[in-house]
Amino acid sequence: MGATAQAHISFFEDERGRQCFHLSSTAQIKLLNLEYHFECMSRWENENGELIFDSYEEKDFSKNIRKKWEINSEGLNYIEDKKGLILEREVVYFADDIIENIYDPLSAVLQFTLQPLIDGHKREVCVFGKQRVIKVIATKQNDTIEFQPVDGMNSLWSKLVSNLSLKISNDGIEEAKVPSPLAMGNLTLKKKERYTLVDEKSQEILKKFNS
């Protein structure tokens, strides 16, 4: 469709010492004269060498939509801002899974680089949604991870997730085939380069994302 897509994943610590995983994704679809810009950030507290989930926030700059899931003293809180219309509520999941075993979408993918999946093996991955836990089964064959929805998704998202695949190596994610956000075709992302992030750049990412 004449589209050019880029994605940047960054790992760094913020001013509170939390481990941050940041993703920025952009795409230009010339045929439809559209520009797509999406960013998300997952933050984890480091307690005695163990990462504990703190918050996950995503921003769709193309549609002016912001969503945030955050742990507080009451549990898990959800905030949604659609073009200035703000919804805030506490999230209560009616499931057997404890919060420590539920990932946000970004860290659900990155955990395969931190805890590699063995060829031929399967792993259940739980991702928190608005009102319930979303479950998928990840299967790895010949360095490619594919996903099969189990519970918590509507038919459209089930189809999109079924078409998601990752190629993993010892050096991280080599390639990702992601269904287009417009539900038309796929975005195929291949690793271009890897470099060390300087502190000034991480502060720039934080400042821009928080603005």
Side-chain angles (χ1 to χ4, degrees), residues 187-201:
L187 300 177
T188 300
L189 305 174
K190 296 183 179 181
K191 186 173 72 176
K192 183 178 180 180
E193 60 181 334
R194 180 175 180 173
Y195 56 89
T196 301
L197 192 68
V198 297
D199 185 62
E200 290 79 6
K201 182 61 177 178

Side-chain angles (χ1 to χ4, degrees), residues 7-165:
H8 304 272
I9 299 178
S10 306
F11 310 87
F12 54 87
E13 287 189 356
D14 66 6
E15 67 283 355
R16 287 175 43 187
R18 295 176 297 184
Q19 180 65 54
C20 298
F21 307 112
H22 174 260
L23 168 69
S24 175
S25 176
T26 58
Q28 295 180 332
I29 305 177
K30 298 178 181 178
L31 182 63
L32 300 178
N33 194 28
L34 291 176
E35 292 189 4
Y36 174 75
H37 180 192
F38 173 86
E39 292 188 29
C40 62
M41 187 177 298
S42 179
R43 294 179 171 94
W44 295 71
E45 296 280 3
N46 194 334
E47 297 183 4
N48 300 320
E50 182 178 359
L51 294 179
I52 306 298
F53 176 76
D54 177 83
S55 64
Y56 169 75
E57 187 173 4
E58 60 182 42
K59 295 183 177 182
D60 187 335
F61 292 92
S62 306
K63 298 180 180 179
N64 194 18
I65 298 174
R66 169 181 171 262
K67 300 177 182 179
K68 185 176 184 179
W69 289 257
E70 183 175 29
I71 293 290
N72 57 32
S73 59
E74 303 296 326
L76 184 63
N77 194 59
Y78 172 73
I79 300 174
E80 182 178 283
D81 182 345
K82 289 186 176 181
K83 301 179 180 178
L85 300 177
I86 299 176
L87 165 69
E88 181 175 359
R89 60 181 172 79
E90 182 181 353
V91 179
V92 179
Y93 292 131
F94 298 95
D96 297 330
D97 304 285
I98 59 176
I99 190 64
E100 287 82 0
N101 293 333
I102 305 175
Y103 295 92
D104 59 78
L106 178 58
S107 55
V109 173
L110 295 180
Q111 56 121 341
F112 291 109
T113 66
L114 301 174
Q115 299 175 319
L117 185 60
I118 301 173
D119 276 357
H121 286 208
K122 296 182 179 181
R123 180 183 299 171
E124 182 179 85
V125 181
C126 297
V127 181
F128 54 73
K130 287 185 179 181
Q131 297 178 330
R132 63 185 302 183
V133 175
I134 297 171
K135 295 183 179 181
V136 299
I137 296 294
T139 305
K140 185 178 181 184
Q141 293 289 350
N142 300 323
D143 294 327
T144 299
I145 298 177
E146 297 182 340
F147 301 87
Q148 184 62 44
V150 177
D151 188 27
M153 288 186 184
N154 59 37
S155 58
L156 174 60
W157 278 100
S158 294
K159 182 178 179 180
L160 293 176
V161 170
S162 297
N163 291 325
L164 169 65
S165 65

